[in-house]
Amino acid sequence: MLRPSSIAFILLALLLSDSAVAVSSIESASTCLTDSTNGRDRKELVKWIFLAMSKHPEISGLASSTPANDEESNRRVGKLVTRLLAEDCALEVKAMVSEHGPASLSQAFEVLGRVAMQELMTQPDVNAAFSGLDRFTDQARINRAIGAK
């Protein structure tokens, strides 16, 4: 049975990925980025993404952030990205960019973003918030549509 909270997770994962095709140098860089960060780093990254997304006019009324919060988040994630690209994963990133060009950076960071989102979604309050969708979905209809039992 496919639960609505699972659907929400799948939708978020799809938002964070452009392709499912793996290329060795991209895989190496992605693995390095993920292995070179800890839970705190990944939370900072998600916080930065959240703050940036909260600037969209249709979302801005749902979240508040001060310019100081934005600046601090930019500073922390800037230091993180610099460390990852210039120190921790410099060899892997250089090989990837050499083989696939600078645009491949987005593919490597998609994996890190996906891992960070997965970690956040395991937190009970976040999981409960996503589960709130359950009350408003017609599970029987969805199961019939996808052929699930």
Side-chain angles (χ1 to χ4, degrees), residues 54-66:
S54 75
K55 304 307 181 218
H56 189 283
E58 292 185 35
I59 298 172
S60 62
L62 301 173
S64 63
S65 176
T66 66

Side-chain angles (χ1 to χ4, degrees), residues 11-148:
L11 290 173
L12 282 173
L14 289 172
L15 287 173
L16 293 173
S17 70
D18 284 85
S19 66
V21 178
V23 178
S24 62
S25 63
I26 295 174
E27 279 185 38
S28 295
S30 299
T31 298
C32 184
L33 292 175
T34 303
D35 289 350
S36 298
T37 56
N38 58 35
R40 181 178 296 138
D41 294 333
R42 291 186 289 270
K43 285 182 185 105
E44 286 295 334
L45 181 61
V46 172
K47 191 184 307 182
W48 175 78
I49 292 168
F50 173 82
L51 289 172
M53 291 176 70
S54 75
K55 304 307 181 218
H56 189 283
E58 292 185 35
I59 298 172
S60 62
L62 301 173
S64 63
S65 176
T66 66
N69 288 343
D70 295 342
E71 187 73 14
E72 179 64 14
S73 183
N74 283 326
R75 185 186 67 74
R76 288 181 187 211
V77 174
K79 286 177 74 173
L80 172 63
V81 169
T82 300
R83 188 194 86 215
L84 291 171
L85 298 180
E87 296 173 27
D88 299 345
C89 303
L91 294 175
E92 293 86 349
V93 169
K94 184 175 183 177
M96 178 187 69
V97 170
S98 174
E99 185 177 346
H100 302 285
S104 61
L105 283 167
S106 66
Q107 290 176 288
F109 273 96
E110 285 172 10
V111 174
L112 178 58
R114 193 175 313 123
V115 169
M117 289 299 294
Q118 287 171 341
E119 288 176 355
L120 249 67
M121 293 186 68
T122 62
Q123 200 278 339
D125 294 334
V126 174
N127 196 5
F130 276 108
S131 294
L133 181 65
D134 293 354
R135 297 180 321 207
F136 302 99
T137 57
D138 185 337
Q139 192 62 51
R141 185 173 173 200
I142 292 168
N143 287 339
R144 281 191 308 275
I146 64 173

